[in-house]
Amino acid sequence: MPYSAILFDLDGTLTDPKLGITRCIQYALSELGYKPPDADELLWCIGPPIKESFSRLLETSDNGLIDQAIALYRRRFSTIGLFENSLYPQIIDILQKIRFAGYQTFVATSKPHIYAKQIIEYFDLSLLFDAVYGSELDGTRTVKGELIQHILITENLTPSTVVMVGDRQHDIIGAKLHNLTAIGVTYGYGTEEELKTHGADLIAHSPEEIKKLLVHSS
């Protein structure tokens, strides 16, 4: 098999976090005295590092204000928001088949790893991954390229044997920076155009299509 390890983004790839993320952003903005946008106007915030999103939402580069917004966001997210989440259909089945085919599997998310691990445990997915990787609460490794580099070094993976699966341009950019094969998924929060523009090698329109691209079975 040409590949041996698969990195999966979390939000918009394994789970649909719309409810939790948008409600927590709305909560943070309200607490700061801003009128929050409707949930459907916040979908672009799903995927990128939260610091980038708040900088755009608050139209500021003031780190003090952005940090305040992130703290409020996390106040709600850490207790309520991370569970306002749902698995995409077929995810457990395709992960089981990918594992059975012999691949190592890892979660690679810009979300803080302490939250990512709780979400993976909440959905009983822990046994389907070799490890869960995310950012630190101080912002370290929120950039997907830095996170991927960390995983490659920590797990001693050869880039040419690794595939990154994700739904946003950040996943594709990070993968291409380290010469990984990139599968863009369109059932999450990025468009096919966004994914292809940033160099996705393959496109999957459903979790089942990810499996078909990776597992060659009769």
Side-chain angles (χ1 to χ4, degrees):
M1 101 181 38
Y3 305 113
S4 61
I6 318 298
L7 311 184
F8 285 93
D9 176 44
L10 180 58
D11 294 341
T13 301
L14 298 175
T15 72
D16 184 351
K18 175 185 174 181
L19 204 59
I21 288 177
T22 56
R23 283 181 176 176
C24 290
I25 291 173
Q26 290 169 330
Y27 168 78
L29 294 174
S30 295
E31 289 292 300
L32 289 172
Y34 292 79
K35 185 179 186 304
D38 292 337
D40 286 343
E41 294 172 28
L42 293 171
L43 299 186
W44 61 269
C45 298
I46 300 173
I50 195 67
K51 185 169 185 176
E52 289 181 19
S53 299
F54 274 123
S55 180
R56 281 181 60 186
L57 286 164
L58 297 167
E59 297 180 347
T60 184
S61 55
D62 178 351
N63 283 327
L65 181 58
I66 293 168
D67 288 347
Q68 197 177 351
I70 292 172
L72 288 164
Y73 172 92
R74 287 177 176 165
R75 177 193 294 174
R76 187 182 186 281
F77 189 83
S78 64
T79 54
I80 302 169
L82 63 92
F83 302 119
E84 294 173 322
N85 203 347
S86 59
L87 278 180
Y88 284 111
Q90 305 173 312
I91 285 295
I92 291 176
D93 180 58
I94 71 117
L95 286 172
Q96 288 172 336
K97 286 173 178 168
I98 287 169
R99 294 279 288 184
F100 186 74
Y103 290 102
Q104 286 183 282
T105 51
F106 302 93
V107 174
T109 175
S110 294
K111 186 185 295 301
H113 66 83
I114 63 164
Y115 300 147
K117 286 178 180 176
Q118 288 181 70
I119 292 167
I120 292 300
E121 288 167 5
Y122 177 72
F123 288 115
D124 292 325
L125 298 179
S126 299
L127 294 177
L128 296 175
F129 290 99
D130 291 277
V132 176
Y133 286 92
S135 63
E136 302 296 330
L137 289 171
D138 67 2
T140 303
R141 292 190 289 274
T142 53
V143 176
K144 193 58 71 87
E146 294 174 4
L147 178 70
I148 289 172
Q149 182 181 36
H150 174 67
I151 297 170
L152 293 174
I153 293 169
T154 305
E155 298 291 341
N156 194 27
L157 301 173
T158 303
S160 62
T161 69
V162 182
V163 179
M164 177 74 217
V165 181
D167 70 313
R168 298 302 308 270
Q169 65 186 46
H170 307 78
D171 303 303
I172 309 304
I173 292 168
K176 294 291 100 183
L177 190 62
H178 298 289
N179 299 310
L180 274 59
T181 296
I183 296 177
V185 304
T186 60
Y187 57 82
Y189 289 91
T191 63
E192 184 169 353
E193 180 184 10
E194 172 187 334
L195 296 163
K196 285 184 172 177
T197 296
H198 290 92
D201 298 288
L202 300 161
I203 297 292
H205 299 291
S206 69
E208 179 68 19
E209 288 189 19
I210 301 171
K211 188 205 76 177
K212 287 179 180 177
L213 291 170
L214 296 171
V215 181
H216 303 288
S217 57
S218 56

